[in-house]
Amino acid sequence: MAGATASGEQGWSSRTAFILAAVGAAVGLGNIWRFPTLAGENGGGAFVLVYIAFVVLLGLPLVLSEILLGRTGGSDAIGSMRNVAEQSGRSKRWGALGALQITAGFLILSFYSVVAGWVINYVFISGGDFFGALFAGDPFSVAFNGETQDQITGRMGDLFADPMRLIILHVLFMAATVGIVASGVHDGIEKAAKWLMPAFFVLLIIITIYGAFTGNFAEAVAFMFTPDFSKITPIVLNEALGQALFSLSLAAGGLLTYGAYVSKDVNLAPTAGLIALADTSVAILAGLMIFPIVFAVGLDPAGGPALIFQTLPVAFNVMPGGALVGMVFFILIFFAALTSSISLLEGPTAWTMDRFGWGRKKAALIVGMVAWLIGVACALGYNMWSDVRLLGFWNIFAETDILDTLDGFTGKIMLPLGALFVAIFVGWRADANVVKAQSGLSGGMFILWRFLVAWAAPVAVSLVLIFGLLPGLLGE
Ligand code: TRP
């Protein structure tokens, strides 16, 4: 039997469907855009090591915790938290944790859609480029044949300087997201994941093999797996923690909401393990796909947010078959982004349906429109509002544009806080018997998981928050 929520939602049709949807939620721009960007900026190996440690020690236990809370609560993120708290004899005010998560997911959605719009832009321009080459009788042409490096990287600047174009692309992506979520858990989200995720994996493997043969694989491996411990600062720890949470779709209402649609007979622990494993493998593979290409043409791995949009097209410009591979690469990212954005929209949508008694279509549309509006501000932050510093008083945000500020605020602050409270709730406040029965763990594994959730996660997240954020706030 499929799970059902308070709003009478039909749940996932099978365990596989849930896994595909959850892996789809996890694998997204976080893996292919954010992870390589952060790894590149933070010195490679050291960041990757800390990131993996956070995934294994905190991320995985919390994935299990959140799915478990969702399934036990059986409602939207806020309703589920209130239900589980009540069953455990705790205050229903724990619903606030659901609210924090839904707000984070909503804010992430708003800028996520803007970045996904850049991806669509590159699907268009690389598609046009490839078909141009194809019709000229040269399907294995390099990308952007005849253009200089400056012209190619300049395309990103042209896009950023064009608010109308940014906004229209952002409309397209948000409309696709709303369309899928409006079609329902079963007929929309599940179906999208069922088609897009397998396609994604095939494309990913093809490009990784291509990169390994044509790129500088050895240098990429050295860059990603040789840690320079002097690079590990509190800020790097904070970035890595935020990235681990972001990539696993934790602390922003995604898994809490998806968990409610999981039927009671699914064993959650191995399912959580599979999700974390798939997500982390894709992040590492994305690094192994991107960095060999970057090094092959002697470019800088610390390219920042434009890494995949400027650095890679330059690389495709000199690599055999670059036009075709470039187009495939951006289509792949688009698929990944879409299966993630639907999970971001589903959280606030499910809550809106339960809270206001709205139908799914209306809820998805209205939530999507409001998130879209906030995204418009992000888009304008690259041109008309490029001087705006939303949290300029705070060191770490003193130089960030609107999108980066939203990304940083959710990733460095809201997600760690959300994760902290999930850990405290599951570790200390929720009924231990219920938690144990639902987790599907027993014996030593249960004790280990419980220890990681009750002790390791709260202590580590608190330390990271204190040492990562306070110095910036105090102006040091
Ligand atoms: N995990 C996704 C990615 O890596 C982003 C995402 C989807 C997300 N759903 C989420 C992040 C929920 C936080 C919470 O691209």
Side-chain angles (χ1 to χ4, degrees), residues 22 28 39 61 96 144 150 221 278 296 309 373 432:
F144 307 116
D150 285 347
V221 170
F309 300 105
L373 262 184

Side-chain angles (χ1 to χ4, degrees), residues 107 391 394 397 404-415:
L107 291 175
L391 299 170
W394 195 336
F397 299 118
D404 277 352
T405 305
L406 264 185
D407 182 13
F409 185 76
T410 48
K412 292 199 189 103
I413 299 164
M414 294 185 84
L415 297 186

Side-chain angles (χ1 to χ4, degrees), residues 174-204:
M174 192 63 90
T177 305
V178 168
I180 295 172
V181 171
S183 307
V185 173
H186 189 265
D187 296 329
I189 299 175
E190 184 177 315
K191 244 189 211 141
K194 211 160 79 188
W195 287 101
L196 297 178
M197 288 321 288
F200 168 84
F201 277 104
V202 171
L203 299 182
L204 178 72

